[in-house]
Amino acid sequence: MAKGNDLIRYITEQVVDYMEKPKEERKSQRKRKEPWQTKWFGMLPLGVSMWARDKKQDHKKKNQNTASDS
């Protein structure tokens, strides 16, 4: 039964801590919501966007090199 009492004590402490904090402090501690792309797909969207940006830059460099060769 000790585990049940520990759980009740922990939950009670968390509720009391929450209630004792001023409303402004609670609002400032809220975490920003993560984007849905990251939530659903992890780091894949970031990786794809970085890859696409790198390919675009490579393409621009290649076009500049061929234009300067002419």
Side-chain angles (χ1 to χ4, degrees):
M1 203 60 196
K3 289 183 181 181
N5 290 338
D6 291 340
L7 179 63
I8 292 173
R9 182 179 303 127
Y10 172 76
I11 292 172
T12 305
E13 287 173 1
Q14 294 298 315
V15 169
V16 169
D17 286 343
Y18 178 82
M19 297 301 283
E20 288 179 346
K21 287 184 184 176
K23 190 173 185 177
E24 293 81 23
E25 186 177 338
R26 285 183 290 193
K27 279 188 177 182
S28 67
Q29 288 183 347
R30 285 186 186 160
K31 293 182 180 177
R32 225 181 99 226
K33 218 174 167 184
E34 67 180 330
W36 67 269
Q37 296 98 337
T38 306
K39 187 174 183 177
W40 283 35
F41 303 109
M43 294 301 289
L44 188 63
L46 175 65
V48 170
S49 66
M50 290 173 65
W51 175 77
R53 185 179 58 219
D54 189 41
K55 287 294 181 183
K56 188 176 181 181
Q57 288 174 353
D58 287 346
H59 185 68
K60 282 184 180 180
K61 286 180 184 178
K62 186 183 272 188
N63 285 341
Q64 288 175 352
N65 288 341
T66 56
S68 64
D69 289 343
S70 300

